[in-house]
Every structure is written in structure tokens, then in C-alpha cells.
Amino acid sequence: MPTIGTVYLVGAGPGDPGLLTLRAAELLRRADVVVYDALVNPAILTLARPEAERVFGGRRAGEGPADRTAVMDLIATRAREGKTVVRLKGGDPYVFGRGGEEALYLAEAGIPFEVVPGVSSFVAVPAYAGVPVTHRGYSSRLVILTGHADPESPECPVDWAAEARLPGTKVVLMGTAQMGRIAEVLLRHGMAPDTPVMVTQWGTTARQRSVVATLATIGSELARAGLGAPGVAVIGEVVRLREKLNWYERRPLFGQRVVVTRAREQAAALSRPLAELGAEVWEVPVIKTAPPRRRRDVMDALLELNSYDWLVFTSPNGVSAFFDFFFQRFQDLRDLGGARIAAVGPGTAERLRQLHLQVDLVPEEALATKVAETMANYMSLENLRICLLRAEVANPDLPKALEEHGAIVDDIAVYRTVAETEGNDETARRLREEGADWITFTSGSTVEHFHQRFDLPKLLGRFPTLRLASIGPETSRALAGLGLAPTVEAREHTIPGLVAAIRDHVIAERLVASR
């Protein structure tokens, strides 16, 4: 009989993956099973291992109540199989999240469990909307209330009449639908009509929207704005600070949901700067690298390194893959020989410099004709031997252009790009159902494999405001093959260049809209 595994009741925070605790991230990376709720940002699920079982254990919009007994039975079964189970809940498990009920179930079933607190929406959402829930000059009392029940029902768990007479900040969770009626009860029992109120929907995410009004007008203002669940309301004088403290909604990419399609191990280099500018980033890796089918070609090239005049690398992946093979054969970087080195693109050049290699040539444009022209202008290529180190399936124009300048080219595949299909099903589902603002492409292969999985023209047809961002001309050419054009193409064909292109476009759009 296997040892019983542990169940971890983990708070996922209010939406922004950056608010996940270190302990939560550690447990997700260890988990065999992750059971998550609807309010969990799908980006957080990418922290779990690709082979981990992912189970939706909540209720989505338009569905009936979740069968909580079935969910808990599943969790207990997996734990009895000796598995590590993370029960991932939005916000904090013990703040209006039924975490206490689930902990009792596990205790009574004899299942070992731990509770990992999360950042609760009652403090995070107001903070992201520019409102501190306490402030020495405004409020030294804070109360957190549930607002899901009819405030005038005898079964209502909150004494709103008593709350009307008490000072301080009132934070109301799950009360957006009832906020108008709650305001009426508070007014009727003596709360000042000009008391400021803020209601924020989808706080800490790209969809964050806030309505600020007074107790007398909040019901009509919410109806006019069409705000719904999930929402957090703040009632009290601290709301007056929002105008000065509204930091999150002023970030350059606030409100933009950006999809990153790079390979999983490379995604962070693009995701991180986008998130720091305020974007909500969804990682949907559609490619991964694998060894080439003809490894013998690489081995032969390694034995002939001293005979080459140029080594040409066309991507950072090509650099990494080649030197993985190189150091299996050689122990000393000096065995690379005396060949000159060309890098197609600044990202490729940077990867080579990280190995302390001098890059002799970096063409300004990552186009085959431009690469060949730049090399030919640098020196005559007549009868020079060039080793082209790149992906197994690659554009044939580059070796052809080099040969037209008289070069003798060995086109060596050091890796191949294959489809990534593991570990992002929930994000992919949300993308198909909800769309995004941007999809970023960093290579022709990301375009190809994304299209194979999602049918890019069809996705654009369903979400007409969806925009495409390309890192450079070769990637844009792949989009053109689908009859599409990118909204932006990076001027500098690098990750920072791609981020800058998106940022500048969004800022320009907002300037036009504000005129």
C-alpha cells in the first residue's frame, strides 16, 4: 500500500501571477496533480510540470454549481495513491473560498494536508486600483464582508444596519450584483450619501475595470458601466486617494493581454518585460527543439571545423544546439578552429558573446539576400567553405544566395523544431474562448505551429481586434504565407525590440484616442 500523499490547499492570489507566493510556486513545480478553480489565472498553471495532471475543479460562467463532493473525492483518491496534490484556489483559501470546508473534509478523511495562504483580493484589488484599505489620515478600521446575499433578507449573514453606523473601510467581496441594494440599506440607516465607493472587476488583470461613485449613485453607475463578477467593492474615505495612487492602470501596457508563443524554456525572456509594462501575459508555447534526425552530419562537420572559413549561425537555438554537440566531442573551445563567425540577428550574436566568442559579422537585416550581400561585401566568398548551422527545416534561400557568390556551403541541421503540445491546455482553451489583444511571434516556426494548432486566420476572424507582433522580416514572411500582415514588426530584431514595438504602438493608439 503506497504512502498517502499530502494535499496542499494553496492560494493562487487574485489574478496577477506575480502575486503568487514563493511557497505556492515551489509546490506547483512539485505537484503530481493540480486541481484548480475558474478564477485561477491560467498562466499560473504553466508552473506545474508538463506531465502533471491538471483537473478543473470549479464552476465556469453559465454553469451550475460545481460538484464539490466529487472534487474532494478525486483529491482524496489521488492523495491515497501517494501523489502530491495541489488544490489551487483563487485568492486565499480561507477568505470566502470554502478552504475551511475542504480542510475539514481532508481532516475527517485522514488525508494529510497543509494550507498555503495566498494574497487575498480584499487587499490586492484595491491596491491595484489605487486605494489603500487603511490610511492613518482616513481610516484605521477595516472590515471584510461578503455581499452575495440579499441585504434585506432575514437570512443575510451581514448586519448592514449595524455597519452603517460603524466607521472605517468596508471591503465587500462577491457583492457586485447586490451593491445597489446594499447602498440603499446603508443610506437608510444613516450612512452619508456622499461616502465614496469604488467597485473593481477582474482586479490585478488586464481586464481590470473600476467604477468610482458615491453611496447615493453607485447602483446606477454600475448599471451604466455594465460591471459584473468577479468584483471587489470598497466603501469609505480611502477611495478619495485613488486619483493620486492609481499606479497600475497607468502602466504602458495596462489592459493588454499578450500571448507568447516561444518555447517554454525561452518564454520568460519575453514574458517578463511585457508583464513589467503592465500586460497580462499568457504563455502558449507552440514549439520546442529536438535533436536533428541526421546527427552524423553534425559529427562530420565537427571533424572538419578547421577546414571552414566561416561558421554561420541563424538563431540562438542553433548556437545552443551546436555547442551542445561540440562539447560532447571537445573539451576546449579553442578546438573551434580559426573560422570567422557570422550571426544572423543581434539575439544570435549575444548568445555567441555569452560564450566569449568574437562575432565578426552581424547583418543589419535577417534576410537571406542581405546576409549573403553583407558577407560578400566583407570579403570575397569565392571558393570559401561556409558551414551554415541552423534548423533542420529552414529557408533554402540563404545557402542558395551564398553559393551565388561563389561559396561552398555545407548546410548542417543542428536541431529541429517540433510542435509543443503539453502543459498549456487551459490557456489554449481560454485563448479560443476569450481571445487576446496581441499574439507575438519570434520565428517562422512559431507562426507555422501556432497556425497548425489554432488556425490563425480563423482566430483573427473571431476576434477582429486581435493584433500580431513579429520580431523580424523572416517571421513576417511566414505570416504573409497565410495572407496576413503583422500589426507591428520590431525595428531591432530582438526581444527588447519586439517589446518596444508593442509598447510604442499601444501608446500611440492611446494618444490618438485621447485627442
Side-chain angles (χ1 to χ4, degrees), residues 179-184 187 191-199 211-225:
M179 188 49 56
R181 301 193 66 187
I182 289 171
E184 291 173 4
L187 288 168
M191 187 169 267
D194 64 349
T195 301
V197 182
M198 178 185 71
V199 178
V211 169
V212 177
T214 65
L215 206 58
T217 62
I218 188 62
S220 59
E221 290 297 326
L222 281 177
R224 184 177 298 110

Side-chain angles (χ1 to χ4, degrees), residues 164 185-193:
V185 174
L186 292 172
L187 288 168
R188 194 161 62 243
H189 289 88
M191 187 169 267

Side-chain angles (χ1 to χ4, degrees), residues 60 68 71 110 119 165 168 171 239 269 291 326 350 387 449 490:
R60 297 191 173 103
R68 298 191 180 278
V71 170
V119 177
R165 297 186 290 272
V171 178
V239 174
F326 179 87
E350 178 58 29
C387 186
H449 288 283

Side-chain angles (χ1 to χ4, degrees), residues 15-18 41 43 128 204-207 247-260 270-282 437-438 440 499 502-503 506 510:
D16 182 350
N41 189 322
Y128 272 52
T204 81
T205 75
R207 291 185 287 173
W247 62 276
Y248 180 63
E249 295 176 16
R250 292 172 181 155
R251 295 204 290 180
L253 293 184
F254 168 74
Q256 303 293 300
R257 178 180 290 165
V258 184
V259 175
V260 171
L270 178 54
S271 299
R272 190 178 298 113
L274 290 169
E276 288 174 353
L277 290 172
E280 180 181 9
V281 181
W282 282 4
D437 297 287
W438 292 89
T440 60
V499 173
I502 296 172
R503 179 200 62 207
V506 171
R510 288 174 178 166

Side-chain angles (χ1 to χ4, degrees), residues 72 76 78 86 118 125 166 168 172 179 214 240 253 263 273 290 293 309 328 356 361 376 378 411 416 444 483 495 499:
M72 291 311 301
R78 294 294 185 269
V86 168
V125 171
L166 294 171
V172 184
M179 188 49 56
T214 65
R240 300 189 190 279
L253 293 184
R293 291 185 179 88
D309 299 287
Q328 291 174 26
H356 303 284
L361 188 71
Y378 182 87
D411 191 358
R416 58 192 170 100
I495 295 301
V499 173

